[in-house]
């Protein structure tokens, strides 16, 4: 029998600010994060783009800490997209090594917080050393239940959907699945992380207002919140403000409720 140590709470924010008290039913269960603006943050300071990625590591840790404190159960972080291979070879090499080293440096801390680390993305082209670190972090933290951090490395929403379609086609060709039995629930079982719940809150930094091929299936009904700050300037307080914004929104999932007087909401 595996004995899971009691998680320790994350370090408090240096400002002393605490997570706002929001009823659990209004806290998003799953937050998807696009960590945008690292390169622009660095360029604005006369630094190489890679220094922006380095600075963004602390932001990710702080946001995960804030997620635990406010009660978010799942965080998915867009660490390296299938489109990022088009960047300069030097930046691609840096990002591969950086993602590997972040996992190596931080997995014990995440484990102590009770965070379960998972990986979504394609294996082809990904460095074997990166895959090894991802798998080791998954194994180390597999029994943790405080929060799940999905590192999306070599991930793309369209790629994930295409890969799921290929897997379903193979099942149909083998006679294990009937085409007329395929529905949305069936399809979702073939995604990278089939037990990952739908995204409730989609958070992007640095002023851009697009999803950039992230969690396309899972974020179909997500509430979108865009921050002006580049990712290295983001911390848990930005997440908390975004959760407060989320809590004020009326999520109807395509439905409508008549207000008094017969006017649809």
């Amino acid at each position: 029998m595996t004995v899971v140590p009691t998680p320790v709470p994350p370090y408090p924010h240096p400002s002393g600010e605490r997570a706002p008290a929001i009823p659990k039913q209004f806290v998003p269960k799953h937050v998807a994060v696009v960590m945008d603006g690292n390169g622009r943050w660095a360029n604005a300071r006369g630094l190489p783009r890679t220094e922006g990625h380095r600075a963004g590591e602390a932001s990710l840790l702080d946001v995960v800490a804030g997620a635990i404190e406010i009660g978010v159960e799942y965080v998915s972080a867009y660490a390296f997209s299938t489109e990022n291979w088009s960047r300069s070879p030097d930046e691609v090499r840096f990002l591969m090594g950086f993602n590997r080293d972040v996992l190596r440096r931080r997995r014990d801390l995440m484990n102590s917080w009770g965070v379960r680390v998972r990986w979504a993305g394609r294996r082809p082209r990904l460095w074997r050393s990166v895959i090894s670190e991802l798998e080791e972090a998954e194994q180390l933290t597999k029994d943790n239940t405080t929060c799940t951090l999905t590192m999306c490395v070599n991930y793309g929403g369209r790629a994930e959907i295409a890969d799921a379609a290929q897997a379903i086609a193979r099942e149909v060709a083998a006679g294990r699945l009937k085409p007329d039995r395929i529905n949305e629930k069936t399809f979702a079982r073939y995604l990278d992380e089939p037990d990952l719940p739908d995204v409730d809150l989609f958070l992007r930094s640095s002023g851009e207002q697009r999803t950039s091929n992230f969690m396309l299936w899972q974020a179909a009904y997500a509430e979108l919140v865009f921050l002006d700050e580049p990712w290295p300037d983001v911390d848990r307080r930005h997440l908390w403000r975004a959760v407060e914004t989320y809590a004020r929104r009326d999520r109807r999932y395509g439905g409508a409720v008549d207000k008094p007087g017969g006017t649809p909401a």
Side-chain angles (χ1 to χ4, degrees):
M1 180 178 178
T2 302
V3 178
V4 181
T6 302
V8 301
Y11 53 80
H13 191 268
S15 69
E17 188 171 342
R18 302 278 184 170
I22 298 175
K24 184 175 176 61
Q25 67 267 31
F26 297 120
V27 174
K29 186 174 184 178
H30 182 187
V31 177
V33 181
V34 178
M35 304 179 288
D36 192 29
N38 294 321
R40 277 166 282 172
W41 180 92
N43 290 340
R45 290 160 176 76
L47 301 171
R49 288 175 56 84
T50 52
E51 291 306 306
H53 297 302
R54 291 187 198 279
E57 178 181 345
S59 295
L60 177 58
L61 283 173
D62 206 68
V63 165
V64 172
I68 293 170
E69 291 175 329
I70 204 169
V72 172
E73 297 178 35
Y74 295 84
V75 176
S76 294
Y78 209 6
F80 188 90
S81 77
T82 49
E83 289 74 36
N84 286 158
W85 294 105
S86 63
R87 295 189 178 185
S88 72
D90 285 345
E91 187 171 0
V92 168
R93 279 193 294 272
F94 173 84
L95 288 169
M96 284 292 102
F98 182 68
N99 279 307
R100 176 195 62 207
D101 296 343
V102 166
L103 289 160
R104 185 179 297 158
R105 283 194 300 269
R106 303 299 187 176
R107 65 181 174 223
D108 289 339
L109 176 62
M110 292 289 183
N111 189 42
S112 72
W113 290 351
V115 174
R116 183 184 183 189
V117 179
R118 302 185 76 176
W119 165 40
R122 284 177 162 176
R123 284 178 175 266
R125 301 185 72 181
L126 200 55
W127 288 8
R128 276 183 288 181
S129 60
V130 177
I131 293 173
S132 177
E133 291 297 336
L134 285 162
E135 291 179 338
E136 189 164 340
E138 283 186 319
Q139 180 62 28
L140 175 68
T141 64
K142 63 184 176 63
D143 296 316
N144 292 342
T145 59
T146 301
C147 181
T148 295
L149 171 63
T150 302
M151 295 293 291
C152 298
V153 184
N154 199 24
Y155 173 90
R158 288 180 173 179
E160 180 180 30
I161 291 169
D163 290 347
Q166 287 182 15
I168 289 171
R170 286 193 293 269
E171 293 291 289
V172 171
R176 292 188 292 264
L177 184 62
K178 294 182 179 179
D180 58 0
R181 300 298 297 272
I182 299 170
N183 54 28
E184 293 176 17
K185 189 174 181 179
T186 307
F187 195 95
R189 293 203 298 266
Y190 291 85
L191 297 173
D192 285 357
E193 297 292 339
D195 57 346
L196 194 66
D198 283 348
V199 174
D200 299 303
L201 172 61
F202 189 104
L203 184 65
R204 181 176 185 141
S205 59
S206 201
E208 303 291 352
Q209 298 189 11
R210 56 180 179 271
T211 60
S212 291
N213 196 26
F214 189 45
M215 294 267 159
L216 296 181
W217 180 278
Q218 299 87 343
Y221 275 99
E223 296 296 324
L224 310 180
V225 174
F226 300 107
L227 306 174
D228 290 331
E229 295 83 358
W231 181 249
D233 289 337
V234 172
D235 62 26
R236 71 187 79 181
R237 296 171 298 178
H238 295 86
L239 172 68
W240 294 342
R241 301 295 92 78
V243 170
E244 288 179 315
T245 298
Y246 169 90
R248 292 192 295 268
R249 293 188 181 174
D250 181 17
R251 307 185 77 205
R252 296 192 296 272
Y253 299 96
V257 179
D258 284 343
K259 291 181 178 178
T263 303

